[in-house]
C-alpha cells in the first residue's frame, strides 16, 4: 500500500502523466510519456522476435514447430483421440488452432483486379515538377520507396495472365509526407464517366451469373450488350480491342492516372494535370495466338516475366510524366473536358514532361502478405496533389476505403506491414479489428489538455495536406452530366486513325472474334452501329467478318473537339526503337554438333542484359551450358527471338504414335518440333538467326528473303544483327497488312 506520510504524493487515479493547463495548449509537443505505473506491451514482431531492421525478424523463428503462442509441438500429424480408434476430443487445442486458421487463411479476393503481381522499388524525382507541384517526393534527387502492383481487371485470382483485358498499374509511394497512391491503368480512358455506373460495367464484364462463364473474357453477350447500349464505353473498348489489351509484359506497359488532378506549387499556384508512366522498354504486345498459347502453356507468364527480370538484374523502369494544363474555370483544354474520364489529351497538344523515374528492383517475399494485402486508395494524397470533380474519381474516393473494410477485416488495414506509412503516424484512431498499435495517452480527441494538446494540427509552414480552395459555381442539385461529356466517338475515331495498318488488322480481328462469340444477333448489330459512328472502314471490315451488313453512320462526321489532331503518333506502339534489356533469346542446339562457341554466345546474351534459353533434344547440359527447354517444352510465345546454332535430327522423347509432330525426320529434314518452333516464330513476326547447320533448318521452314532473318558465319555476329532487329520488338514488315 502506498505511503500517506508524504503529503506531496498525489492520490491515485490521475488520468495523465502531466497536469493539464488551464488554457488549451498552443505549443506543439510530442505524445506525453506514460505514467510511472504504466507499462505497455513489450515490442515484438508477429513471430516473436525482438524488432529490428533485418527482414528476418518478421519471418519464422527457431528450429522447432510451435503453436501460435510459441509452445513447441511434438506431433502435428495426429489428432487427440479417446484411444487410437476412438473419437477425436474437443479438448485438442492444437487441432482446433491449426484447422481454424486453415479455414480462415483466405480473404475475399478483389472484385476487380483480383489477379495481380507486384514488386518493390524506388522512385527518384528529377526536380522538374517544382514549378507546378510542391510534393516532396518529386524534388530533385529525392529517393522514395515504392510498391507497384500490376493486374488484370475482370478475371479471378485463378485466371490467366494473358487474357484480353485492361491492366491495372498501381503504385504506392512511401513518402516522408505520407503515402501517395497513384492508382491507374494501362489505358488512359475508362469505360464510364460517372462512378455510379461502376457496378453495371463490372457486372456486365464478369462471367454470366448463371453459369459463371466465360472466365476473364469480354467475348460474351452481357459485356457487348452493355457497351453497345452505353456508348460512352466505346472509346475504352476500342483501346483494349487493340494490342494494348494483351501486353507483352508488365515491363512493357504504359500507365495512366486516367483522371485529371489538381497540382499546387510552393507559391500556392494551381494547375491541372494528367499523370503518365512511360516504360523504358517501350510499349509492346503479344499476338492474339501467343496469348492463347501462353494461357494454356504458362498462364502465369506475366508474373513470371516480371519476377524473372528482377531476379536477373534487368530491372523494369518507367519515367513518370505529367501533362500540365491551366486551372481555368471550365477545367477544359483545347475543347477537351478534363473532368471526363473517357477522354485523353493528345500529346501533340500537351507534351508529357518527365518528372521522375521508377525502378522495380526487389521481388516480394510473400505473395499474400504483400501483393494480396496491399490496399490502394486514390484518396491517399500528399501536399501538392489534390483531386478534381471528375465524377468517376469522386466515387472512387469512397469506394476504395469501403472495399478494404470487408476485404481486409476492418478499419486497421493501414497497419498491415505492406500498407504502413514511412512517415510518423498520430491519427487518434483507436481499437477495431486488427489493431496492432499499443497506444498511450488518455485523450484521443481534439481539443485536449490531458495529453498536453497532442497531437496538434499542422500549420501552413508544417507541410500540411491542403484541400485546395476551389470555387464551386452556383448550380442546381441534379443527377446529370455536363453537355461536354456527350461526345462518345470523336476520340475513338482519333485512336483508330492513329493506328498503323498492322495494328488496325489486330483491332478488326479482335472485334470479329469477340462479337462472333455473342449469341444474340441484335447485340452484334447494335455494336456494329457504334463502330459505324467511329469509322466506316472499321465497321465494314468487322461486318464482313461477321457476315453482316455494315450500317450507316448516325451521327455527324466531324471530329467533335476543336483543335484536336487528326492522328496522334504516341497512340501507336510501332515506329520507334527501344532498349532490348530483359528480352528472351532461344538458342536451338545439336548436342552432337560443334558447340565450342556456345558458352561465349550464352555469355554475350547475358552481357547484353538479355536472357538466353538453350533448347535441345534432351535436358542436362551442352558444352557446359544448362539446357533451359527441350523440344517438348519450348514455345515461340515465350521467346523474343530465335537463334539456330544447329539442326538436331532426333529427340529421345519422340513418340509419333501419340504426337505426330514428334516423329524423327528423315536425313536432311528439320526435326518436326524444331520446325514448328520456327514456323511459330515466323508467324509471330519474330527475328530469327542461324549459322552452321542451323542455316539449313531456317531455310527449310522460311520464305527466301523474308524480313527479320539473319544468316551468318558465327553466333556472335548473328546475335548483333538480331539485337538491332529486337529494338523494334517484331518484324511486322514480314507480312503485308490487309488495311
Amino acid at each position: 500500500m502506498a505511503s500517506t506520510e508524504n503529503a506531496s504524493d498525489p492520490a491515485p487515479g490521475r488520468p495523465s502523466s502531466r497536469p493539464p493547463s488551464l488554457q488549451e495548449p498552443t505549443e506543439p509537443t510530442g505524445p506525453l510519456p506514460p505514467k510511472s505505473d504504466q507499462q505497455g506491451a513489450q515490442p515484438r514482431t508477429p513471430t516473436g522476435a525482438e524488432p529490428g531492421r533485418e527482414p528476418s525478424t518478421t519471418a519464422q523463428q527457431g528450429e522447432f514447430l510451435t503453436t501460435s503462442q510459441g509452445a513447441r509441438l511434438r506431433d502435428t500429424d495426429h489428432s487427440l483421440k479417446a484411444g487410437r480408434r476412438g473419437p477425436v476430443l474437443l479438448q485438442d487445442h492444437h487441432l482446433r488452432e491449426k484447422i481454424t486458421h486453415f479455414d480462415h487463411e483466405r480473404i475475399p479476393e478483389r472484385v476487380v483486379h483480383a489477379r495481380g503481381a507486384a514488386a518493390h522499388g524506388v522512385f527518384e524525382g528529377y526536380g522538374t515538377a517544382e514549378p507546378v507541384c510542391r510534393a516532396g517526393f518529386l524534388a530533385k534527387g529525392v529517393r522514395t520507396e515504392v510498391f507497384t502492383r500490376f493486374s488484370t481487371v475482370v478475371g479471378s485470382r485463378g485466371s490467366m495472365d494473358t487474357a484480353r483485358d485492361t491492366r491495372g498499374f498501381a503504385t504506392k509511394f512511401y513518402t516522408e509526407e505520407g503515402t501517395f497512391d497513384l492508382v491507374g491503368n494501362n489505358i488512359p480512358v475508362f469505360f464510364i464517366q460517372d462512378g455510379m455506373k461502376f457496378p453495371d460495367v463490372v457486372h456486365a464484364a464478369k462471367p454470366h451469373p448463371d453459369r459463371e462463364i466465360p472466365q476473364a473474357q469480354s467475348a460474351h453477350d452481357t459485356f457487348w450488350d452493355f457497351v453497345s447500349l452505353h456508348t460512352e464505353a466505346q472509346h475504352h473498348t476500342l483501346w483494349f480491342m487493340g494490342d494494348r489489351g494483351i501486353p507483352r509484359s508488365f515491363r512493357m506497359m504504359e500507365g495512366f492516372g486516367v483522371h485529371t488532378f489538381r497540382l499546387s506549387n510552393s507559391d500556392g499556384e494551381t494547375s491541372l494535370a494528367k499523370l503518365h508512366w512511360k516504360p523504358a522498354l517501350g510499349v509492346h504486345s503479344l499476338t492474339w495466338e501467343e496469348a492463347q498459347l501462353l494461357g494454356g502453356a504458362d498462364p502465369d507468364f506475366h508474373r513470371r516475366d516480371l519476377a524473372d527480370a528482377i531476379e536477373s538484374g534487368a530491372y523494369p523502369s518507367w519515367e513518370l510524366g505529367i501533362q500540365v494544363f491551366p486551372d481555368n474555370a471550365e477545367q477544359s483544354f483545347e475543347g477537351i473536358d478534363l473532368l471526363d474520364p473517357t477522354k485523353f489529351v493528345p500529346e501533340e497538344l500537351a507534351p508529357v514532361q518527365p518528372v521522375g523515374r521508377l525502378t522495380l528492383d526487389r521481388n516480394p517475399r510473400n505473395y499474400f502478405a504483400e501483393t494480396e494485402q496491399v490496399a490502394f486508395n486514390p484518396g491517399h494524397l500528399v501536399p501538392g496533389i489534390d483531386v478534381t470533380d471528375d465524377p468517376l474519381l469522386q466515387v472512387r474516393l469512397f469506394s476504395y476505403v469501403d472495399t478494404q473494410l470487408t476485404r481486409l477485416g476492418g478499419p486497421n488495414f493501414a497497419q498491415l506491414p505492406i500498407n504502413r506509412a514511412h512517415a510518423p503516424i498520430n491519427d487518434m484512431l483507436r481499437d477495431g479489428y486488427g489493431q496492432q498499435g499499443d497506444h498511450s495517452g488518455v485523450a484521443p480527441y481534439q481539443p485536449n489538455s490531458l495529453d498536453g494538446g497532442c497531437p496538434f494540427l499542422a500549420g501552413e509552414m508544417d507541410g500540411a495536406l491542403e484541400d485546395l480552395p476551389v470555387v464551386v459555381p452556383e448550380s442546381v442539385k441534379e443527377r446529370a452530366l455536363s453537355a461536354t461529356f456527350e461526345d462518345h466517338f470523336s476520340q475513338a475515331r482519333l485512336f483508330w486513325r492513329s493506328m498503323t495498318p498492322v495494328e488496325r488488322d489486330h483491332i478488326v480481328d479482335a472485334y470479329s472474334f469477340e462479337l462472333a462469340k455473342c449469341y444474340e444477333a441484335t447485340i452484334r448489330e447494335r455494336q456494329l452501329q457504334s463502330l459505324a459512328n467511329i469509322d466506316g472502314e472499321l465497321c465494314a471490315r468487322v461486318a464482313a467478318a461477321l457476315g453482316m451488313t455494315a450500317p450507316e453512320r448516325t451521327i455527324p462526321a466531324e471530329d467533335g473537339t476543336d483543335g484536336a489532331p487528326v492522328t496522334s503518333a504516341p497512340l501507336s506502339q510501332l515506329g520507334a526503337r527501344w532498349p532490348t534489356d530483359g528480352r528472351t533469346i532461344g538458342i536451338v542446339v545439336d548436342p552432337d554438333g560443334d558447340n565450342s562457341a556456345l558458352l561465349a554466345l550464352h555469355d554475350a546474351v547475358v552481357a547484353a542484359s538479355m536472357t538466353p534459353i538453350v533448347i535441345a533434344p534432351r535436358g542436362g547440359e551442352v558444352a557446359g551450358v544448362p539446357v533451359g527447354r527441350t523440344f517438348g517444352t519450348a514455345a515461340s510465345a515465350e521467346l523474343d527471338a530465335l537463334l539456330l546454332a544447329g539442326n538436331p535430327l532426333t529427340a529421345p522423347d519422340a513418340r509419333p504414335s501419340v504426337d505426330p509432330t514428334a516423329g524423327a525426320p528423315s536425313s536432311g529434314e528439320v526435326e518436326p518440333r524444331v520446325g514448328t518452333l520456327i514456323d511459330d516464330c515466323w508467324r509471330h513476326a519474330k527475328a530469327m538467326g542461324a549459322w552452321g547447320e542451323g542455316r539449313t533448318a531456317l531455310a527449310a521452314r522460311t520464305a527466301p528473303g523474308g524480313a527479320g532473318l539473319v544468316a551468318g558465319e558465327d553466333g556472335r555476329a548473328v546475335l548483333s544483327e538480331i539485337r538491332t532487329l529486337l529494338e523494334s520488338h517484331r518484324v511486322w514488315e514480314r507480312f503485308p497488312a490487309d488495311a
Side-chain angles (χ1 to χ4, degrees), residues 83-96:
R84 292 194 174 190
R85 297 174 59 80
V88 174
L89 299 178
L90 184 62
Q91 74 180 65
D92 190 346
H93 56 87
H94 173 46
L95 169 70
R96 285 186 286 117

Side-chain angles (χ1 to χ4, degrees), residues 4 118 130 178 252 254 259 269 353 420 438 463 471 521 603 712 728:
T4 57
E130 184 179 355
M252 300 171 188
E254 276 187 291
H259 308 289
E269 299 167 329
Q353 305 170 45
R420 292 174 186 170
D438 189 0
V471 174
D603 291 346
S728 300

Side-chain angles (χ1 to χ4, degrees), residues 396-738:
R396 291 180 73 199
L397 295 172
F398 166 80
S399 179
Y400 278 70
V401 176
D402 191 49
T403 296
Q404 309 303 350
L405 293 175
T406 297
R407 216 179 68 79
L408 297 176
N412 291 307
F413 56 84
Q415 296 181 17
L416 294 168
I418 192 62
N419 295 322
R420 292 174 186 170
H422 292 196
I425 304 295
N426 197 342
D427 54 18
M428 294 197 300
L429 305 177
R430 294 292 186 268
D431 306 338
Y433 284 109
Q435 178 58 250
Q436 299 177 49
D438 189 0
H439 298 105
S440 61
V442 296
Y445 52 84
Q446 276 286 355
N448 77 71
S449 63
L450 289 174
D451 279 348
C454 184
F456 286 79
L457 298 176
E460 183 178 350
M461 303 304 295
D462 301 312
L465 183 66
E466 181 182 6
D467 296 304
L468 297 174
V470 178
V471 174
V472 179
E474 181 179 349
S475 190
V476 176
K477 181 172 65 176
E478 58 182 328
R479 294 187 184 274
L481 285 171
S482 165
T484 55
F485 282 49
E486 293 176 359
D487 171 22
H488 298 166
F489 297 107
S490 66
Q491 287 209 330
R493 189 176 308 122
L494 170 63
F495 181 84
W496 166 258
R497 291 177 178 176
S498 301
M499 296 296 100
T500 60
V502 67
E503 290 171 305
R504 291 189 182 188
D505 286 350
H506 296 165
I507 291 172
V508 169
D509 292 344
Y511 274 110
S512 302
F513 172 84
E514 299 251 334
L515 292 173
K517 288 283 190 174
C518 291
Y519 182 88
E520 298 291 350
T522 53
I523 292 175
R524 296 196 291 271
E525 292 175 14
R526 193 189 308 134
Q527 178 57 33
L528 284 174
Q529 184 61 68
S530 286
L531 296 185
N533 289 336
I534 294 171
D535 185 88
E537 176 202 347
L538 170 61
C539 179
R541 294 178 64 189
V542 175
L546 297 174
M548 302 175 72
T549 301
E552 296 296 322
R553 178 194 300 273
T554 59
I555 63 170
E558 63 267 20
D559 288 336
T561 53
D562 297 334
V566 176
T567 62
S568 178
L571 300 183
S572 171
Q573 297 183 174
L574 307 183
R577 308 191 75 83
W578 303 97
T580 60
D581 301 38
R583 305 300 172 91
T584 302
I585 311 297
I587 308 172
V588 174
V589 300
D590 179 358
D592 299 323
D594 179 9
N595 294 294
S596 58
L598 179 60
L599 181 59
L601 175 65
H602 180 280
D603 291 346
V605 174
V606 173
S609 297
M610 298 187 293
T611 301
I613 296 181
V614 171
I615 304 169
R618 56 183 179 271
E621 290 188 352
V622 176
V625 179
V627 173
R629 297 286 188 276
T630 63
F631 296 163
T633 59
S636 164
E638 66 177 340
L639 306 176
D640 293 293
L642 180 67
L643 302 181
L644 296 150
N647 185 20
L649 297 181
T650 59
D653 63 343
R655 298 176 61 198
S657 61
V658 177
D659 179 6
T661 66
S666 302
S667 177
E669 296 181 358
V670 181
E671 206 282 340
R673 287 176 293 183
V674 174
T676 299
L677 183 62
I678 297 171
D679 294 346
D680 289 346
C681 286
W682 170 268
R683 195 169 58 257
H684 299 155
K686 294 183 177 177
M688 288 184 281
W691 59 96
E693 291 299 317
R695 290 181 295 188
T696 302
L698 186 63
R701 305 296 291 227
T702 58
L709 303 181
V710 179
E713 296 301 320
D714 64 86
R716 297 289 291 273
V718 169
L719 175 64
S720 178
E721 292 189 52
I722 290 292
R723 188 178 177 189
T724 300
L725 290 169
L726 274 177
E727 292 176 357
S728 300
H729 188 56
R730 294 185 192 267
V731 193
W732 288 121
E733 56 268 31
R734 181 178 294 163
F735 309 110
D738 291 339

